[in-house]
Structure formats: structure tokens, C-alpha cells
Amino acid sequence: MDSPGSAGKPQAGGCVQVSSRSQRVKLFDFVWVAYENPSCGNPWQSIDVVFSVKTEQSSVSADELLNDSDLSSVGFVLPTAAEFFLQCVRVAIEKGRGGSSVAKLIVPLTAGQIVRGDIIPLRFIDCEFVESCVSLAEPRGLYPGKPARGQQMGDLAALLGASAAGLLLQKNPEGLGDVDARSLSPFVEADMENRLSFPWIVEPTPRKTLVIVEGSRVHPDDGGTGPNIYLAAMALGIDMVVLDKPGHWLEGPEYAHWRKDFIQLDLPQPPDAKFAERVVKAVRSYGGEVDGIITFCDSYQAAVACAARELGLPTSSAEGLAIATNKYETSVFEGRTAHLVSSPQEAIRVAAVQGDSLYPCIIKPCNGWSSEGVFRIDSKSELLPALQSLAALAGSRHGNDFVIERYCSGPEVDANFVLLDGEILFFEVCDDFPKSADVNGFASPRGTQSFIELDSVFPSRLPESEINLLKICFHNTLLRLGLRSGILHLEGRIDNSMVEYRDDNGVLDLHAKNAHAHDAHVGTPPPAAWLIEINPRPPGMKGTQIIESTWGVDYWGLGLLIAVADKARARALARPFRNGPQYTCVMVFIPVDYDLASCEGVFASDDVCAELLERRPDLARNISRCGCLVKKGERVAHPSRGVNSFLAYFNVFSRNGRREALRLAREVREEVRFSFV
């Protein structure tokens, strides 16, 4: 039996005719040969298919073929199969006479239902030597668990129909020169073991219906979490019933295919005392069977949990969620000294009573988000300017309540949990690099000081003992709160950490402190987990994308499955890559930054991400995903006015280590070009 890329005889072959719709004449013939590559000990069969140009029709370009091809005679069942075939054809044509493209098809060898329709493309994001990965599966698609054999191997449409996905191998891998793609197959095959060693074929499950309260405020054209939520739901085969304001973008026909029903519901911010009752009434008005209810809006979490309890649906503790979504209550629950204030006058009274022992301290809204209104105050003279800025945030945006507590200067982290019945299915930690307002922080180009994110690095470089400390302490807090299932995004620090941020030849990173700094004989306290806040939802600001590519885990899909108590699929999809994170990745945030004295805050650039990718293809090779979050002509508030906004983000990765990833991230930040007028 031939190994991947071997020069032995093909096991099967065939010919596919592609014709033009307009001319109705044959344009090309393609031959394909299949090499069967059974994976020892794992439930799939991989088959290499080589597409070669057989006839000389150089006058017809690949684009002309793809735009005007007639594949009706080929017999592809799914449109994705035809699209994948044409991708393979394009590469073969572009290589010219004698050139070829190589696809790797994946046939499940376990009988059952695919865990989610797009699971293989999800697990193959940024796979080295793979040009693209296309799902050939339907949501909740069933497979007999039998390998392709005999006549099926000679029928391309049948072969694609039996496959769950197809990988198109790279045509010109970076640094390898002009190599035949078939020689890359063994490397991809080895990586398949890493990415697919989990139960991605499961026992068939009934279709579920999930109600979502607040269906994502931002229209997909402007970013937001809508695509993350609803595309995951479609891939999982979960029907979504949306409760949101009249006129919401999901109510109309454009995105009606993303949801099963839309029910109008007023969404006051913050929610009033009768909000949970109105949610219950709206769900009961739906009339159909409902398996769960969820919200990804922090301020609605407790009320939606109350509604779920009334409806008899799975939920976490409403009382625990009320504490978790209030930063003052969270600090008190953790046993820390914290001061609740509702006006500048109350804050001044607290400062007068506490004196110099209050500083350095943090003051922030109890119900804040995006690090808005968070100030570090080092002395009495800094208190009044901070209070004046906070006054602009009081009211409908974050409420009138603020918390004052000690500032912890230790390294900051994001710690994310996937919990099911109290068990940790998945846990990861990333390093949130110092903000411009932190001790050891660095100012933005124009000197803005804030706690808005700048760089988040995955995975963390904290000592393993400190990562375990975070895991144990934060998990214990969640259980004490009654938060036993769901996606929990926690922000925290390590007080008295054994590491600190230092600049090493222009690269800022964590390094071990002086050895005697933690000598118990000199009275240095041991490291301690310091919880900043709990967000009972996936990370915001596109932060889940970097988890998908680095670890192979999608928090949005898991959140939906846990909400409808689909435990088998949740356990399967919470499994990361067998070998751990595939690379070091840095999420580079580009915050709004302009000179208030010289412009009105109108964004004057085009898509800053597209511009950088085109101008610096060398950097583009190491950018997994990116997005420009503002449009030309849009007026953007300055951070000094209390609203934190981002212009763009870039997920920058390196397979060669953390130092290179940080260097590339710094270069990307420096290369972003934008202007305001």
C-alpha cells in the first residue's frame, strides 16, 4: 500500500470533464489518483487525490473556468464539494501543463453523527502546509463508519460525498522552493493525528432549540459577535430563538436564516426588577419546545438565570451571577477590603478616612466593561481628576456605583474556564501585557494613559505553579458562587509573583525576579491569585478567535451546547490539540488615539488591516486573523471622554517561539498607518 506522496502505482484513477455553460464545449480534462492512507489507531481514512491538467487549453484562464463552469454532470451532492473541486482545479491550472494540485480527503471510520458540521476546518486553522480546508459535511451529518473502497474510489463525486472534509495542500510552501505538494502529505498526515485525536464522530443527538436574550447588538457588517454565535449554532444544528428590541438586525429578512424565530423584547440597561418576568412571558409566547436559554450580556445574566429557573431550564445560580457581574460584590466575596461609592463626594469621604493607606488604588464602575472608567490613583492629588472623568460615565452607560480598592501590580492574566457540572473541561491562561496606566507600563504614541488592552499573549509564560494557583483558586471561587457550567472569562493578577515584566534588548516580556525576592526568610509573601472580575461568557473583542486557532477550541459553540445540556458534544469539543497550543500568538490591539487639540476625531483612513497586509506581505504571513473596526468618515470618541474603542486588531503568531512572536507583534503595531481629521 502506497504511503502519502509515494511514487508507487495509484490505487485508483479517473477523469472529470468540465464544460463551459456558455459555449457547451469541453475545456479541460482532469485526472485524479488516490492513495489510501489509513491512520493507525484513529477513526478516519485519509485519501490523497492528485488533480492534473490533461489537455492543453491555455487560452482559458482559471478564473474563466471557475466563473463559467458546468458541474451538473459530475454529480456533486453538496455545493461545498463542487467549490472544493474547483479550488483544486484552480491550483492545477495555475501550475500549467504538467502541474498538479493535491487534496487530502478525510473519511470517518466511526459510525455516528459529526460533532459539528465545520469541525475539521475549525481544527485546521493555520495548519502548516495546508492552503485551505473545506467542510464536506452537513450539520449533524451521519456517517456509516466504512472506508472508501472499490468502485467508490473511482467516482470523484462519491468519494467527496463520503468525506467529512477536504484539505488542499499548499502549492508553494514558504522556504521550501518549488516542491511537489505530494511531498508535504506526510507532514500534514502527522499533524492530523494532533488535531483530530478526539471524538469528532459521536452518538446521534436530537435537534435542540435555544433562546438567546440580546442577540448581539452590532450588525455583522460592523463586526460584533453575531457571526461567532449564529454560525456556530448552524454548524451544531441548534435552532436559535432571538429575544431582542424591535428593529434589531436579526428581525428582518437579511439574516432570518440565522434564527428560527424572533420575539420582540425591550432590553433596558441596566435591567429593571420586572425584566426576568418579561423574559419568561416572551419565551412562553414562542409556543414551541425550548431546551435552554442563554445571554452573553453581563448585565442580563442574573435575570436570565431567574427566568430559566422559572421555566425549568438549565441554569447557574442567579444569586452567584449577581455577585459575579458586580465588581464590588466580587471583591467583597473574595474577602478583600473594598469601598462602594455612588458620587464624587462619597469617594472624597472614603479618601479622607483612609488617608495615605488608600494609595495606590483602583476606582472603576461596578458594572463596567472594556476597561472603561478604570483609573489607577497613586496619590490624593490624582483623585479629583479621576472623579471628574468618572462623572461623565455616570448614568445609563455604567450606572452610578463605583468600587475603590487596592491596586495589585502583579502580572495580569485572562483565565478562561469551560465548566460542566463543576468539572473543568478546558482551562487556559494568557498574559495581558502591561497597560499604559500600569506600573512598568508603556505609554501609547501620544501619551494616553488607560487600562485599555494593548497585547495579549497566548499561552501564558507564568511559572506553572502560578498557573495552577490561578486554576485552583479561581475554580474554587466559581464553585462557591454556584457557577458550575458554562464559559467563564476571568481577569486577574498574580500578587507577589515570581516574575515581572522587563525589557530585554527591546522585547518586553516576563522574566524571573531576583532569586532572593521570594526568600521566605526575609518575609516576602508567597504568590497569591488576585481576582479582578468574572465575566460569565466567552471573551469579547474577537478574543475567542485566538483560542480557536491556538488551541482548536471554540467557546461560542461550547456555550451553546452547555446551555442546552448537550453534554456529550460539549465534552468532545472542549478537547484541545493533543500536543497543546500550535504556536505562540499575540493579539495586538490598536486603540483609538488622536490629538484632541488638532482634530475632531473623524477617522480618515481606509481599512488599516488590508493596507498593512498588502504593504507588508512578509508580516502578513504571520497574521492569523485581523479586523479593522472603524470605517472611513466615522466619528470616534477619544478615550479621555470615558469610552474605550479599538481601531483594529491583529492576531500575530510564530512557530519559532515567544520572542519572535513578540518581535513581530511590535513590528505590526509600529507599521499600522491611520489618521484622524
Side-chain angles (χ1 to χ4, degrees):
M1 185 170 290
D2 295 310
S3 61
S6 74
K9 295 181 180 179
Q11 291 182 301
C15 181
V16 178
Q17 176 177 302
V18 180
S19 302
S20 162
R21 287 192 181 94
S22 58
Q23 300 179 27
R24 293 294 178 187
V25 296
K26 183 172 73 171
L27 299 177
F28 290 93
D29 278 342
F30 294 91
V31 297
W32 58 273
V33 292
Y35 299 86
E36 185 181 348
N37 303 291
S39 179
C40 298
N42 288 297
W44 69 83
Q45 172 195 39
S46 64
I47 302 169
D48 285 359
V49 181
V50 182
F51 296 87
S52 301
V53 180
K54 185 178 181 182
T55 59
E56 294 189 32
Q57 297 283 348
S58 58
S59 61
V60 180
S61 69
D63 285 336
E64 287 176 303
L65 174 68
L66 297 178
N67 293 334
D68 197 34
S69 58
D70 180 10
L71 298 179
S72 58
S73 62
V74 181
F76 295 125
V77 176
L78 294 176
T80 52
E83 292 169 8
F84 180 66
F85 169 68
L86 290 177
Q87 284 186 29
C88 298
V89 165
R90 175 192 287 275
V91 172
I93 294 172
E94 289 174 348
K95 286 195 171 184
R97 176 72 172 172
S100 62
S101 63
V102 178
K104 187 178 287 291
L105 303 180
I106 302 173
V107 179
L109 295 183
T110 299
Q113 175 185 296
I114 194 161
V115 70
R116 61 180 279 177
D118 62 351
I119 184 58
I120 296 179
L122 177 66
R123 298 286 286 202
F124 277 82
I125 296 172
D126 293 337
C127 178
E128 201 168 15
F129 305 135
V130 171
E131 187 82 17
S132 65
C133 180
V134 174
S135 176
L136 302 173
E138 294 185 282
R140 304 177 67 249
L142 297 175
Y143 289 88
K146 298 178 180 179
R149 289 284 188 267
Q151 291 184 346
Q152 192 177 32
M153 295 291 283
D155 183 340
L156 180 60
L159 195 55
L160 290 172
S163 303
L167 311 179
L168 177 59
L169 304 194
Q170 284 187 355
K171 55 182 178 179
N172 294 309
E174 181 187 357
L176 295 182
D178 186 16
V179 299
D180 191 319
R182 280 171 286 190
S183 64
L184 304 177
S185 183
F187 300 100
V188 177
E189 194 75 21
D191 206 12
M192 289 171 65
E193 297 277 350
N194 170 42
R195 294 170 186 267
L196 295 182
S197 292
F198 75 102
W200 52 279
I201 299 293
V202 297
E203 291 291 326
T205 57
R207 196 173 186 93
K208 300 293 184 75
T209 297
L210 177 63
V211 173
I212 183 169
V213 179
E214 203 271 321
S216 181
R217 289 184 291 271
V218 182
H219 191 281
D221 290 347
D222 300 319
T225 58
N228 303 87
I229 298 169
Y230 299 102
L231 294 182
M234 292 170 68
L236 291 164
I238 295 176
D239 294 323
M240 302 295 291
V241 175
V242 180
L243 274 56
D244 212 312
K245 297 177 182 178
H248 187 272
W249 57 269
L250 274 163
E251 186 176 18
E254 184 181 8
Y255 287 96
H257 61 291
W258 280 12
R259 45 81 175 172
K260 187 176 184 180
D261 202 355
F262 184 94
I263 299 173
Q264 294 183 356
L265 179 71
D266 288 335
L267 298 177
Q269 190 66 268
D272 56 57
K274 299 290 186 179
F275 183 64
E277 293 180 20
R278 295 197 301 275
V279 170
V280 170
K281 183 179 179 180
V283 173
R284 286 176 174 161
S285 74
Y286 166 60
E289 185 177 346
V290 169
D291 300 288
I293 186 169
I294 197 171
T295 184
F296 293 118
C297 179
D298 293 347
S299 60
Y300 298 147
Q301 292 282 356
V304 170
C306 288
R309 192 161 53 195
E310 176 69 19
L311 293 163
L313 298 173
T315 184
S316 290
S317 163
E319 295 75 17
L321 287 167
I323 294 172
T325 53
N326 183 295
K327 294 175 176 58
Y328 169 73
E329 297 290 349
T330 300
S331 294
V332 172
F333 189 80
E334 285 289 273
R336 297 202 298 262
T337 299
H339 308 278
L340 178 64
V341 299
S342 300
S343 68
Q345 292 76 20
E346 289 183 19
I348 290 171
R349 284 197 292 272
V350 168
V353 171
Q354 297 297 316
D356 291 341
S357 65
L358 182 66
Y359 308 106
C361 68
I362 287 287
I363 184 168
K364 58 187 177 182
C366 294
N367 298 297
W369 60 81
S370 297
S371 299
E372 291 184 2
V374 182
F375 295 91
R376 190 186 93 228
I377 303 171
D378 291 330
S379 65
K380 182 179 179 180
S381 63
E382 296 179 4
L383 180 62
L384 187 58
L387 294 176
Q388 290 172 340
S389 296
L390 283 172
L393 288 172
S396 61
R397 189 165 179 85
H398 294 295
N400 295 311
D401 293 338
F402 297 84
V403 59
I404 303 175
E405 65 177 351
R406 177 171 79 85
Y407 168 70
C408 176
S409 62
E412 186 173 348
V413 297
D414 285 349
N416 296 313
F417 290 83
V418 178
L419 295 185
L420 183 63
D421 297 330
E423 178 188 353
I424 300 174
L425 299 186
F426 179 63
F427 171 76
E428 50 84 19
V429 178
C430 80
D431 295 321
D432 276 345
F433 268 42
K435 320 299 191 295
S436 58
D438 271 317
V439 175
N440 296 328
F442 49 92
S444 63
R446 295 176 179 86
T448 303
Q449 300 291 307
S450 74
F451 281 95
I452 193 169
E453 287 84 354
L454 293 171
D455 291 301
S456 295
V457 186
F458 301 74
S460 173
R461 197 184 185 183
L462 286 177
E464 185 176 355
S465 60
E466 295 185 2
I467 291 177
N468 288 334
L469 180 66
L470 290 168
K471 183 177 183 179
I472 293 168
C473 293
F474 288 177
H475 184 217
N476 181 54
T477 294
L478 295 173
L479 295 182
R480 288 190 294 118
L481 285 168
L483 308 184
R484 299 178 53 81
S485 295
I487 313 300
L488 289 308
H489 169 59
L490 281 66
E491 298 179 19
R493 292 178 183 258
I494 291 288
D495 204 10
N496 306 308
S497 175
M498 293 184 290
V499 295
E500 63 184 355
Y501 282 97
R502 291 201 306 269
D503 188 289
D504 178 20
N505 292 323
V507 177
L508 183 73
D509 201 1
L510 288 169
H511 297 276
K513 288 182 178 177
N514 206 314
H516 64 74
H518 281 270
D519 189 336
H521 296 294
V522 297
T524 302
W530 180 281
L531 178 61
I532 296 175
E533 62 182 55
I534 302 171
N535 302 285
R537 53 161 173 79
M541 271 304 301
K542 302 294 185 181
T544 55
Q545 290 183 346
I546 206 166
I547 309 299
E548 291 172 11
S549 64
T550 304
W551 294 93
V553 174
D554 171 34
Y555 286 150
W556 297 103
L558 281 167
L560 303 180
L561 288 171
I562 293 171
V564 296
D566 192 334
K567 298 182 180 182
R569 287 203 286 173
R571 289 183 181 278
L573 290 172
R575 297 266 292 270
F577 298 136
R578 187 182 64 182
N579 299 338
Q582 69 166 318
Y583 46 42
T584 300
C585 199
V586 184
M587 192 167 189
V588 179
F589 298 96
I590 309 298
V592 171
D593 202 358
Y594 59 83
D595 187 348
L596 274 171
S598 63
C599 66
E600 297 181 3
V602 176
F603 190 61
S605 300
D606 292 314
D607 187 323
V608 298
C609 299
E611 190 277 335
L612 185 141
L613 296 179
E614 182 177 1
R615 176 166 48 86
R616 292 293 305 272
D618 56 321
L619 291 177
R621 287 193 292 266
N622 289 84
I623 295 175
S624 173
R625 301 189 197 180
C626 58
C628 186
L629 305 175
V630 296
K631 297 179 180 178
K632 190 173 185 177
E634 182 178 345
R635 187 179 299 276
V636 186
H638 192 273
S640 65
R641 294 179 175 140
V643 178
N644 288 340
S645 299
F646 297 97
L647 298 179
Y649 72 94
F650 297 84
N651 292 349
V652 183
F653 70 88
S654 171
R655 303 184 198 278
N656 297 324
R658 183 172 169 114
R659 186 175 180 86
E660 181 181 80
L662 291 171
R663 179 187 61 77
L664 290 168
R666 183 185 62 186
E667 192 168 358
V668 166
R669 182 181 297 282
E670 292 171 348
E671 285 294 316
V672 175
R673 304 282 187 262
F674 64 87
S675 61
F676 283 88
V677 294

